[in-house]
Amino acid sequence: MGMVENNLSSASITSNLETQFIGQRVIYYPKLASTMDIAKREARRGAVEGTVIIAGEQTAGRGRIKRTWLTPEGGIALSIILRPGVRYLPSLIMLTSLAVVRSLRKVTGLESQIKWPNDVLINGRKVCGVLVESEVQGDTVSYANIGIGINANFRVSDFPEIPSTATSLSDELERDVSRLEIIRCFLVEVEKLYLTLPGGGAVYEEWRDSLVTLGREVQVKWEGNIVCEGVAESVARDGSLLLRLSDGTLKKIVAGDVTLRA
Ligand code: BT5
């Protein structure tokens, strides 16, 4: 696979970036443990809202509940420091996934779908994971950092540690993509969606309508154990999944992993 871009740097990302604050300050590391760690440290030091931390490669990337996220060279790993009003916290995972879907479509032409709660899939395979880590004091959000890991320019089959249910952009397209373009587009899309929140924008509706999960029979797992099964009927505005159980009752699922049944 040829090199489409080799110039990921703070300057190449911020240069003429059409945002007000997201990505106006970028801290780039060729290799890093986890962008979430640096984002937390920077946020606690009072970093300006919209500060972006990007790694060319991560050695200790994190998923939810202490799981590992692998970002080999060629991947995209970034975190953004935000400080929304506390009532907008549930919207962050939604707007982040939506911004990924929009930027993959715009830059690569690939259509992707969102799987509750935090996966972006292409043809049923995970291409991106989303993570939000926040600290709230009273009614104030000290920080809410959003992180995305996108499998971009590498072949998943070259990394046995990555589950075979994953895919990458270059696996899908059989060519490399411009990580720089995807990152810049993503920052613009995140800011657009973020700025709609106070006006009661349609983030929730768009997210709900992009979910592959709804209408499907699913199994919900928590730490590897099946906790319930049912039909994913809807999602609530707080992001939770509403599951119709076989006895007809509706159960609200706040966290977990879902497996879509055929
Ligand atoms: C996620 O967690 O999907 C959230 C991943 C967030 C990663 C970003 S990268 C930038 C920022 N800095 C970080 O340190 N993290 C964020 P979860 O739903 O818990 O999924 C984790 C699971 O996905 C693992 O247990 C593996 O099974 C699988 N996995 C690991 N690496 C993968 C990859 N590259 N592609 C697809 N699946 C992967």
Side-chain angles (χ1 to χ4, degrees):
M1 285 178 280
M3 287 294 280
V4 171
E5 47 80 16
N6 50 13
N7 56 343
L8 268 195
S9 66
S10 304
S12 63
I13 293 163
T14 55
S15 163
N16 300 316
L17 185 70
E18 290 184 344
T19 61
Q20 294 171 30
F21 62 102
I22 291 182
Q24 293 301 322
R25 176 170 177 243
V26 171
I27 311 175
Y28 172 74
Y29 296 83
K31 194 169 179 172
L32 187 65
S34 161
T35 59
M36 293 312 265
D37 294 341
I38 303 295
K40 186 189 289 181
R41 189 190 74 195
E42 290 295 315
R44 286 181 170 162
R45 285 181 181 168
V48 64
E49 187 177 37
T51 298
V52 170
I53 323 293
I54 300 198
E57 192 180 336
Q58 286 188 129
T59 54
R62 294 204 299 273
R64 292 171 299 150
I65 43 175
K66 296 188 178 150
R67 289 191 290 219
T68 304
W69 180 264
L70 288 137
T71 309
E73 208 185 333
I76 295 174
L78 71 85
S79 301
I80 309 176
I81 298 173
L82 297 174
R83 294 199 180 80
V86 73
R87 65 190 175 287
Y88 303 126
L89 279 181
S91 305
L92 295 185
I93 190 130
M94 306 178 193
L95 74 83
T96 306
S97 321
L98 281 174
V100 170
V101 170
R102 286 184 180 183
S103 37
L104 293 184
R105 180 186 297 135
K106 278 194 183 162
V107 178
T108 70
L110 288 168
E111 282 303 324
S112 52
Q113 299 80 36
I114 302 173
K115 190 182 103 175
W116 189 90
N118 69 325
D119 294 349
V120 180
L121 312 179
I122 297 178
N123 297 322
R125 297 174 168 273
K126 185 161 174 174
V127 71
C128 166
V130 175
L131 194 63
V132 178
E133 291 182 345
S134 55
E135 194 171 88
V136 180
Q137 283 173 337
D139 281 343
T140 310
V141 176
S142 314
Y143 62 80
N145 298 336
I146 63 179
I148 57 158
I150 300 181
N151 298 333
N153 295 336
F154 58 83
R155 292 298 174 105
V156 166
S157 57
D158 289 339
F159 299 90
E161 322 87 270
I162 299 180
S164 54
T165 50
T167 190
S168 71
L169 300 177
S170 43
D171 279 338
E172 295 297 322
L173 293 167
E174 301 195 316
R175 62 172 171 83
D176 279 358
V177 296
S178 166
R179 288 183 300 169
L180 182 60
E181 262 188 82
I182 293 172
I183 290 165
R184 286 168 57 94
C185 186
F186 173 73
L187 298 175
V188 169
E189 293 298 332
V190 169
E191 186 176 281
K192 265 195 223 161
L193 290 162
Y194 189 64
L195 292 176
T196 68
L197 293 178
V203 167
Y204 159 75
E205 287 80 2
E206 199 186 327
W207 174 74
R208 181 195 60 201
D209 296 343
S210 308
L211 288 170
V212 272
T213 323
L214 299 189
R216 304 276 296 267
E217 244 186 82
V218 301
Q219 277 186 336
V220 181
K221 287 187 186 167
W222 180 252
E223 300 196 333
N225 304 310
I226 298 174
V227 290
C228 57
E229 295 180 317
V231 176
E233 195 161 288
S234 186
V235 280
R237 283 191 171 265
D238 66 3
S240 56
L241 181 68
L242 302 172
L243 205 64
R244 184 68 65 181
L245 307 183
S246 55
D247 67 4
T249 56
L250 201 60
K251 189 178 164 91
K252 187 168 173 148
I253 313 286
V254 192
D257 296 303
V258 303
T259 311
L260 304 174
R261 310 188 59 194

